[in-house]
Structure formats: structure tokens, C-alpha cells
Amino acid sequence: MFPFSLRNKMSDAPDLPTTPPPTTPVHPLDALTGGAFSAATSGERASRIRDWLASQPTPGQLQDVFKELSGRDKGAARAVRERLDEMRRAKNQEATAAEWAEKAHALLAAPKLNIADAMAWQRDAAKAGAPLSREPLAELKTQLAERIKVIEDLQHRVQVQREAAVLLAQRIEVLSTKPWQDAHAAQDALLTDVQHWQEQAQALAGDASWPSVEARFPPLLDTSKAQLLVVWEAFQAAIGQAAAAAADAQAPLPAVPMWAEALRAARGEAPAAAPAAQRPSKPRVAPELAAQSAARVTDALSKLEEETAQGHGKASAGAATALRAVLKQHGRHIDTALEQRVHTALVAAGELEGWQRWSADQVREDLVAKAQALLQRPEGQALGGRKMQESLRHLREQWKQADQGGAPNHGLWKKFDEACNEAHKVVEAWLEKVRTDAAEHRAQRLALIAELQAWGEQNAANTDWKSVLRGLQQFGARWRDGGHVGEKLLTELQPQWKRSMDAAAAPFEAAQAASLEQRHAMIEEAVALGAAPMLRVDAVKALQLRWQTEAQTVPLERRQEQKLWDAFRKPIDDAFNRKTAERERGAGQASAHDKAVLEAAKALDAANASGDAQRIRAAMSALEAALRGQAAHAATQAPAQKLVQEPGQAGGDAPSPSEPSSQEAAESQGAAADENPPAKPSAPPPPPRPVVAVRGDDRPGMKKDVPAAPGRGARPGERRDGRPADGRRDGGGSGRFGDRPAYEDRGPRLGDAAFRAQREALEHAQAALRKLAAQAHGEALSQLLSAWEKRDADMVPPAQEFGRSVTGAVRNAWTQALAAAPQTGGKVSSADLLLRLEIAAEVPTPAEHLSDRRMMQLQLLTRRNEAAPAQTWAQDVAQLLAQPSEPAAARRLQNVLKALMRG
């Protein structure tokens, strides 16, 4: 510890001079932006920039701040960039708004406004991106809408006036069927109504928007006015004449039949005679004038009938108007038949015109519904840009066809156009994306062309042609996957790509050309080697090695390379084939044994074709006998060999029952024993009994009642097999395996044709036997299931038909189970038995029983001393057969037995 005095002395020491921190120069725009450039963190800088933007800086200040700030902090500069973009968009929208405002003023100032032009202005302005929701376009849009509404209202009022004129005429016509006193009383009211109708019609014609009404409405109003005035004047004249006739008996009667009869009855006169039923004949006219009038009316009538038959609404209306004009001039000179025909045609044309107008409106309503449904599709089923564009184009074409068939409907057109414009936004977004993608793909393809050119210059001296080809293929794949571009752009880029690819592939193509020359030269060498009288195998191998080296060095197109290889190997293969044919001809004709084997193989093929198992086995035995005949013939010519065995060795070397012994070996041993009799004849030891079962350790010497094998207890220096220590054998043999019988002489080998024929015949015979065995096995299972279903033990097939897995005892147990009455309440249920059998056979279990199978497998794991299902499947089948049969259980049992009896 230091003393306090020392600490105090140190505290009195003078302080060291401190260096002031360096001052950072202030940015010129820092004061303008409220300290944004001197802010310590990015978040503080962004906050100060937002505060500064709230003060509405000028565009020049915004541009200067963005230029300085974009290199320092992109996050803070984003707000400035967005403000600049917003101002730029506002400026563009102002220019667009001024342009479309001028067009709207021109439409409003025109004396005649077309409704279609006004609606097209709104549609085109929306497509151009004009701000229709802001002034002045919002007000102009409202003015145009009001102007359109006024025009449509005028057109509607014209139709109302037309109907009112018809109703007034009907009222006057109805009064003509009542007493003239009632008509005279209603005359003042009718006069007031007619004058009011005329005033309304005059007001319509004097409206400022009347010139903008469609051209078909003014004639309708004029026609209705003329017809109404004609009917009203006739009515006034008739009512005045009736009043005068009532006052003066000498006055003429009115033309109205009912009023004339009433006045005649009031005067006490007799009623007038009924007019003749026949129509008065027309006055005679000159034949030339009648023929000329009939010809003109017939021409106009034929045209009307043709247009009506084809269903042309507008054309039929024009033809009907033309026919009426002709009738005004020549209608008095035509006969009655032609007049009736003209009347029928005019009625049909009127019906067609009305039907066309109604059907056109139905089609338009359907098109409006389709256009509105384009954006109302279910989620996940929205149309893409191209599909939407095609749908809109198709809908507009259908609308044009509907307009051709009848009068236009502006209300439906407005709805249809609004729906199409709304759906066209999807197309515009898609087109923008397509343009953006095309620009990106163009840049990518240009970059790929530049990369290919650089790669070609870099690998101009590369001789690893495989890597060069791999690189060219990769460039080609990248070009194909470079994205979609338009036809015009592809036409511009494709020549550049081809030139770059040709320049990069020029060294490789030159190497391919040189390789082709070398390969053609090697083909000529191969032809020369193949045509030589003596085939030089070493030269052929060297030539093939050269070909492989060249093929691995310079790759070619697969078809071309395969074609060259075929041309190269053909003369060599022909030479080897000639050599093989000569060798086979030199070998001579086939031997007698080969002929016998061939005949036996042909007989076996015929037996295979017959499908008879017994005949196939007999033919196989005959073929094996033919093969053994070769060895027997060779054994008669071979020298006899001594096979002398000691008694102990004979007992020890006797073949066990488990090892197969051939008949030829036994015959050869007997012959050797006859030629070389042993010194001490002894009886051959009896063959050992077959071992049925062995429990415990069965090695020689380990059982008390069986003595150990001789030679096991030899002393050091002696051999355990009982032979002397010097290794000599009593039989005089030498070598390690001298105690074994000598290999029998197999004689001359079979020819290639005979060997192949006997091998193929045996393989086919074994396959046929397996197929026949499988068929017999399936029939046996079917018979067993039928016996279970019918509870008939006699229908169970013999045990041999089931195979090795089913013994006689197992079959007896099954027949006993079938012979007894079916047991329904056994110890183990049929479901458990089937599960045990499926576990034993390892076959699938139906899905509804999988949980039961897993439970049983868990239970079997806990039963350690119980036999496994694979060991007790025969008893389980017997218990299952003792229970009633069911179709599902029978199918499961059949699958189990197929698997169990297959082994």
C-alpha cells in the first residue's frame, strides 16, 4: 500500500496540456437541410431529411441535396428521390391534363356533340394516365357526363312523344266507335291534349342540344306529328259534319259509319244498304305503265325478300324504305297479288328489324357480363396478361358484330367500355413487364455475346477439344435459355451471335476437319488389312488403338462418329468372319456324337413346344443320355486305373448319403476293381444309415456310443489319416490328391453348335417345367379353396400337387378339418389365424387389419417359448379350414398359400 502522503503529492502535480479534437468541416448544405449531413446516425439523418422535406423545398435544392446525399446514405436519399419522382410525375400529369382539357373544351364548344366521342375521350384520357379525379379534368368530365345525359334524355323524350301520339290517335279511333254526342263532348279535352303534345314537340325541337341527337330521332318525331295532325283534322271535320247533320236534315252525313247510321235513324230514314263484299276493281291503266310499275316494285321487293331471308337487320330496313318509296309512286298501278306480296314482305321486314334489335341487346348484355367477369374470377384463376388481351380483343370484335346487326345502345356500350378499360389495366401491367423483361434479356444476350468473344480469344490456342466443345455447348444452352425477346430484336441479335459463335468454334472445326481426314485414312488402312490374305492381328490392334486415341482427342457429332466407326470396323469384322468360317470349315463335318446331341436337343425343343411335362422329362433324360454316351465311349478307350483302398480308408472315404454319386463313377470303380484285384479281398463295408436328426454335438468322438475316427490319436511324427510319415500311399499314387479317384476322360469336346443347342434346349425345358409346375400349383390352390367353400374333403388334391411344403400328414389334417362340421366359436378366431398366416408368409395385410397385425406382432415378441407362425402355418391352415368359408378370407388365404408353397 502507498502512503497517503505520496498520493497527495501526486495530486498536486500540474496537469498535462490536452490536444483539442480535430474539427470536421461543415458541409455547405448542412444548414439548408437542418443538420442532415452532420447527423451522427443514419436514422437521425433520415428524420432530419423528412423534416426538411416538410418545408417544401424547391426542385433545385432537392436535386443538389440528392446528388450529395446519394453517395453518403442511400436510405436517407430515398425520401429525396421519391419527392423528385413525385414532382416529375405531377409535372407530366399537368401537361397531360392540359392536353386532354383542351380536347374536352373542343367537344363542349362544338354545336353537335357525338356521344361516342365524349365517351371515347374519357376512355382515352384514362389510358393516357390523365388525372381525371383532379381539376380541371374532373369538372370537364362532369360537364361531358351531364351533356351526354341531356342528349340521352332528349332521345328518350322523343320516344315518349311518339308513344303519346300513338295513344292520342287510339283515343280518337275509339271515339269513332261511340255515339257522336260522346265524341263531341270529349272534343275539348282532346284539343287540349293535342295542343299540349304539339307544345312539347316544339320544345324538344327548340332545345339547344337537339342537333346532338342521333339522326334517327328527328324523323320519328316529325312522322308522329304528321300522323297525329292528320287524324285530329279528320276527327274535327267528322264531328263538325255530324253536328251540322243533326241540326239540319238536309246536311250531308259524316263519313263515320256509326255516326251516319245514328243520324239516319234520328231522321227516320231507312238504313243504308251494306256495301258489296268484293273489293272495287282498280281503274284500268295503260299496259305499258302497269308493266313498268310492276317491274320496279318487283325489283325492290326481291331485294327486300333477299335481305330478310339472310337476316340482315340494317340492310332489310333500308330495302323496306326503298320499297315504300317505290310504292308511293307506282303502288296504284300494280295488281292485287303483287300488292299482297309487298304487304307480306314489309311485315316480315318489320318483325326482323324488331327481333334484330332485341337480339342485339341480348348479345350486348351478355358481352357486358363477360367483360365484368374478367376481373371477378375465383382466387387462383385470374387471367394472365396475354390471355386477358386476347379475351378483350375477342369481346370488342363481338361488340362490333352486334352493332352491325342492329341499332347501337349507348347505355350498354358505356358499361361495356368501362369494364374493358378496367380489365385492360392488367394488360398494361403485363405489357410493361414484358418490355422490362425484354430489355433485361437483351442486355443479358449482349453480355453473353461479349463473353463468348472473350472466351474465344482466350481459348484460341487450347487443344483440349473436349473442353472446348463442352464450353461451346454451354454457351449454346445459355443462349437458348436467355429469355424471350421479340422477333425484331431477335433478328438483330441472332446474326451477331452466329458470327461470334463461328469465330469461337473456328479452331475446333479445323481440328474436326483434320480428324476426319485422319479417320478416312485409317478406314482405308482397315480396308487394306481386311483384304490381305493373312490377317495381321497385331496391326489390327495397333490401328484400333490409333482410332480410339483419335476419337478421344477430337470429338465429333454422334451420328457422324458412329457412321465412321461402322465404316472402320466393317472390313475388320469381315476379315475375322472369313477367318472363323475357314476355321469352321477346316474343323470338318460334325462328329457322330455332335449329331446325336443335336438330334436330342431338337427332340427336347419339340417336347417344350408340346407343353407335356412327362414328354419334356423324357426328352431331357434322352439328352442327358446322349451327353453321357460321349463319356462312356471315352471310358472304353482309356487305360484302366487302380483304385485300391484299405479297409479303414474305404470305410472313411465311403460317400455319404447326402452327397450325390453318379452312375459312371460307380461303373468305373467296378471296372478298376475287376482288373486289379486287391491282395486281401474283403467285403465292402455296408453303407451308413442316413442321419435323420442329430441333437447336441455330433462330431466324431464326442458321443460315448460312437468310437473316434481312426488316426485321430496319432503320435508325434505320424499322419492323422493313417498314412506313413514318409507320405507314401499304398495305392502307389503320389501327390497331394493321390488318394482320390482320377478324373475321367471326357473325350472330344462338343462343337460350338451342339453345345449351344443342348444348353438352350435344357434352359427352355427347365423354364417350361417351372411354368407347368406353377400352373398345377395354382389349380391345386383353387381346388383347395373350392373344397373349403363346399366343405367337401374329397375335392382336396393330393399332397404331390401342392409341392414339397405340404406333406401327407398336413393334407390329412386339412381333409379332417373339412370333413368335420364348421366350427364358429373356436379357440382362435379366423381373423387371428389369417394374421398369423400373413406374418408367416410375409405378405401384405389389408389396410383395415394393419393395426391388428401390429398388435399381434408385438404379442408374438413377448411369447418367447411359443413356436413362430412360420413353423405352425400348416396347423393354422387346418384350424382356418375348420371354420366357415368367407370370400375375403378365401382371397387372403390364397395369397398366403401362394407365398408359403412357393418355397
Side-chain angles (χ1 to χ4, degrees), residues 84 94 114 132 205 217 263 265 267 335 374 418 458 462 482 570 610 652 715 717 779 809 849 903:
L84 287 172
E94 288 178 359
N114 192 353
L132 295 176
F217 287 100
L263 292 172
R267 292 177 181 179
D335 56 358
L374 290 176
E418 289 177 355
Q458 182 180 359
N462 189 5
K570 184 179 182 303
S610 66
R715 292 188 298 273
E779 294 176 359
H849 302 295

Short mmCIF file of all heavy atoms in Angstrom, two decimals, residues 84 94 114 132 205 217 263 265 267 335 374 418 458 462 482 570 610 652 715 717 779 809 849 903:
data_model
loop_
_atom_site.label_atom_id
_atom_site.label_comp_id
_atom_site.label_asym_id
_atom_site.label_seq_id
_atom_site.Cartn_x
_atom_site.Cartn_y
_atom_site.Cartn_z
N LEU A 84 -38.60 13.84 -55.64
CA LEU A 84 -38.28 14.25 -57.01
C LEU A 84 -39.15 13.51 -58.03
O LEU A 84 -39.66 14.11 -58.99
CB LEU A 84 -36.80 14.01 -57.29
CG LEU A 84 -35.81 14.97 -56.61
CD1 LEU A 84 -34.38 14.48 -56.84
CD2 LEU A 84 -35.97 16.38 -57.17
N GLU A 94 -49.64 17.27 -65.24
CA GLU A 94 -50.17 18.60 -65.57
C GLU A 94 -50.18 18.82 -67.08
O GLU A 94 -51.16 19.34 -67.65
CB GLU A 94 -49.32 19.67 -64.89
CG GLU A 94 -49.53 19.74 -63.37
CD GLU A 94 -48.62 20.77 -62.72
OE1 GLU A 94 -47.83 21.39 -63.48
OE2 GLU A 94 -48.68 20.93 -61.50
N ASN A 114 -71.13 14.31 -80.30
CA ASN A 114 -71.36 12.88 -80.51
C ASN A 114 -71.12 12.14 -79.19
O ASN A 114 -70.08 12.32 -78.54
CB ASN A 114 -70.42 12.36 -81.60
CG ASN A 114 -70.82 10.97 -82.05
OD1 ASN A 114 -71.72 10.35 -81.47
ND2 ASN A 114 -70.16 10.49 -83.08
N LEU A 132 -58.00 12.27 -64.06
CA LEU A 132 -59.41 12.59 -64.21
C LEU A 132 -60.07 12.95 -62.89
O LEU A 132 -61.15 13.53 -62.87
CB LEU A 132 -60.14 11.41 -64.85
CG LEU A 132 -59.74 11.08 -66.29
CD1 LEU A 132 -60.48 9.84 -66.76
CD2 LEU A 132 -60.02 12.24 -67.21
N ALA A 205 -87.77 20.24 -80.21
CA ALA A 205 -87.04 20.70 -81.39
C ALA A 205 -86.28 21.99 -81.12
O ALA A 205 -85.29 22.29 -81.79
CB ALA A 205 -88.02 20.91 -82.55
N PHE A 217 -83.79 10.09 -84.66
CA PHE A 217 -84.86 10.54 -83.76
C PHE A 217 -85.67 11.71 -84.34
O PHE A 217 -86.91 11.72 -84.20
CB PHE A 217 -84.28 10.92 -82.40
CG PHE A 217 -83.86 9.73 -81.59
CD1 PHE A 217 -82.54 9.35 -81.52
CD2 PHE A 217 -84.80 8.98 -80.90
CE1 PHE A 217 -82.15 8.25 -80.79
CE2 PHE A 217 -84.42 7.88 -80.17
CZ PHE A 217 -83.09 7.51 -80.11
N LEU A 263 -127.53 9.17 -87.08
CA LEU A 263 -128.24 10.34 -87.63
C LEU A 263 -129.35 9.92 -88.58
O LEU A 263 -130.43 10.53 -88.64
CB LEU A 263 -127.24 11.25 -88.34
CG LEU A 263 -126.22 11.96 -87.43
CD1 LEU A 263 -125.17 12.68 -88.26
CD2 LEU A 263 -126.94 12.94 -86.51
N ALA A 265 -131.07 7.20 -88.39
CA ALA A 265 -132.18 6.70 -87.57
C ALA A 265 -132.92 7.85 -86.91
O ALA A 265 -134.16 7.81 -86.75
CB ALA A 265 -131.62 5.75 -86.50
N ARG A 267 -133.37 10.78 -88.19
CA ARG A 267 -134.19 11.39 -89.23
C ARG A 267 -135.36 10.50 -89.65
O ARG A 267 -136.26 10.94 -90.35
CB ARG A 267 -133.33 11.67 -90.46
CG ARG A 267 -132.28 12.76 -90.24
CD ARG A 267 -131.45 12.91 -91.49
NE ARG A 267 -130.41 13.94 -91.32
CZ ARG A 267 -129.53 14.27 -92.27
NH1 ARG A 267 -129.58 13.63 -93.44
NH2 ARG A 267 -128.62 15.20 -92.04
N ASP A 335 -101.01 -4.96 -109.52
CA ASP A 335 -102.17 -5.80 -109.33
C ASP A 335 -102.29 -6.22 -107.87
O ASP A 335 -101.43 -5.94 -107.02
CB ASP A 335 -102.11 -7.02 -110.25
CG ASP A 335 -100.83 -7.81 -110.03
OD1 ASP A 335 -99.99 -7.37 -109.20
OD2 ASP A 335 -100.63 -8.85 -110.69
N LEU A 374 -64.32 -10.68 -66.19
CA LEU A 374 -62.88 -10.89 -66.40
C LEU A 374 -62.09 -10.62 -65.13
O LEU A 374 -61.05 -11.27 -64.89
CB LEU A 374 -62.38 -9.99 -67.53
CG LEU A 374 -62.85 -10.35 -68.94
CD1 LEU A 374 -62.35 -9.33 -69.94
CD2 LEU A 374 -62.38 -11.75 -69.32
N GLU A 418 -66.39 0.64 -69.85
CA GLU A 418 -65.79 0.80 -68.51
C GLU A 418 -65.22 -0.53 -68.02
O GLU A 418 -64.11 -0.58 -67.46
CB GLU A 418 -66.85 1.31 -67.54
CG GLU A 418 -67.25 2.76 -67.78
CD GLU A 418 -68.35 3.20 -66.83
OE1 GLU A 418 -68.83 2.34 -66.07
OE2 GLU A 418 -68.72 4.40 -66.85
N GLN A 458 -9.56 -16.25 -75.65
CA GLN A 458 -8.75 -16.88 -74.60
C GLN A 458 -8.42 -18.33 -74.93
O GLN A 458 -7.34 -18.82 -74.60
CB GLN A 458 -9.52 -16.80 -73.28
CG GLN A 458 -8.77 -17.38 -72.09
CD GLN A 458 -9.58 -17.28 -70.81
OE1 GLN A 458 -10.70 -16.76 -70.83
NE2 GLN A 458 -9.01 -17.76 -69.72
N ASN A 462 -6.10 -23.43 -77.26
CA ASN A 462 -6.40 -24.61 -76.43
C ASN A 462 -6.61 -25.82 -77.33
O ASN A 462 -7.37 -25.79 -78.31
CB ASN A 462 -7.67 -24.34 -75.60
CG ASN A 462 -7.91 -25.43 -74.57
OD1 ASN A 462 -7.09 -26.33 -74.40
ND2 ASN A 462 -9.02 -25.33 -73.87
N GLY A 482 -31.83 -17.78 -72.64
CA GLY A 482 -31.63 -16.36 -72.35
C GLY A 482 -32.91 -15.56 -72.20
O GLY A 482 -32.84 -14.35 -72.02
N LYS A 570 -16.15 -52.46 -90.29
CA LYS A 570 -16.75 -53.42 -91.21
C LYS A 570 -15.71 -54.30 -91.91
O LYS A 570 -15.82 -55.53 -91.90
CB LYS A 570 -17.60 -52.67 -92.24
CG LYS A 570 -18.36 -53.60 -93.19
CD LYS A 570 -19.20 -52.80 -94.15
CE LYS A 570 -20.00 -53.75 -95.05
NZ LYS A 570 -19.15 -54.68 -95.79
N SER A 610 -44.69 -78.80 -77.09
CA SER A 610 -45.93 -79.55 -76.83
C SER A 610 -46.56 -79.18 -75.49
O SER A 610 -47.78 -79.29 -75.33
CB SER A 610 -45.65 -81.05 -76.88
OG SER A 610 -44.77 -81.43 -75.82
N GLY A 652 -13.80 -94.93 -44.27
CA GLY A 652 -13.77 -93.48 -44.04
C GLY A 652 -14.10 -92.67 -45.28
O GLY A 652 -14.62 -91.59 -45.18
N ARG A 715 0.50 -90.31 -32.78
CA ARG A 715 1.64 -89.79 -32.02
C ARG A 715 2.39 -88.78 -32.87
O ARG A 715 2.23 -88.72 -34.07
CB ARG A 715 2.57 -90.93 -31.63
CG ARG A 715 1.96 -91.91 -30.62
CD ARG A 715 3.01 -92.90 -30.14
NE ARG A 715 3.50 -93.69 -31.25
CZ ARG A 715 2.94 -94.81 -31.66
NH1 ARG A 715 1.83 -95.26 -31.07
NH2 ARG A 715 3.46 -95.50 -32.66
N GLY A 717 4.87 -87.15 -35.22
CA GLY A 717 5.62 -87.73 -36.32
C GLY A 717 4.78 -88.58 -37.23
O GLY A 717 5.27 -89.00 -38.28
N GLU A 779 -53.81 -74.47 -59.78
CA GLU A 779 -55.03 -75.28 -59.84
C GLU A 779 -55.27 -76.00 -58.52
O GLU A 779 -56.41 -76.14 -58.06
CB GLU A 779 -54.91 -76.29 -60.98
CG GLU A 779 -54.88 -75.63 -62.36
CD GLU A 779 -54.66 -76.65 -63.46
OE1 GLU A 779 -54.51 -77.83 -63.12
OE2 GLU A 779 -54.63 -76.26 -64.66
N ALA A 809 -49.14 -85.86 -44.01
CA ALA A 809 -49.77 -85.62 -42.71
C ALA A 809 -50.50 -84.27 -42.71
O ALA A 809 -51.60 -84.15 -42.17
CB ALA A 809 -48.71 -85.64 -41.61
N HIS A 849 -56.91 -54.11 -41.41
CA HIS A 849 -56.40 -55.04 -40.40
C HIS A 849 -54.95 -54.77 -40.04
O HIS A 849 -54.32 -55.60 -39.38
CB HIS A 849 -56.52 -56.48 -40.91
CG HIS A 849 -57.93 -56.89 -41.26
ND1 HIS A 849 -58.94 -56.99 -40.32
CD2 HIS A 849 -58.51 -57.20 -42.45
CE1 HIS A 849 -60.07 -57.35 -40.91
NE2 HIS A 849 -59.84 -57.48 -42.22
N GLY A 903 -41.86 -71.71 -51.71
CA GLY A 903 -40.55 -72.19 -51.24
C GLY A 903 -40.47 -73.66 -51.16
O GLY A 903 -39.42 -74.25 -51.07
#
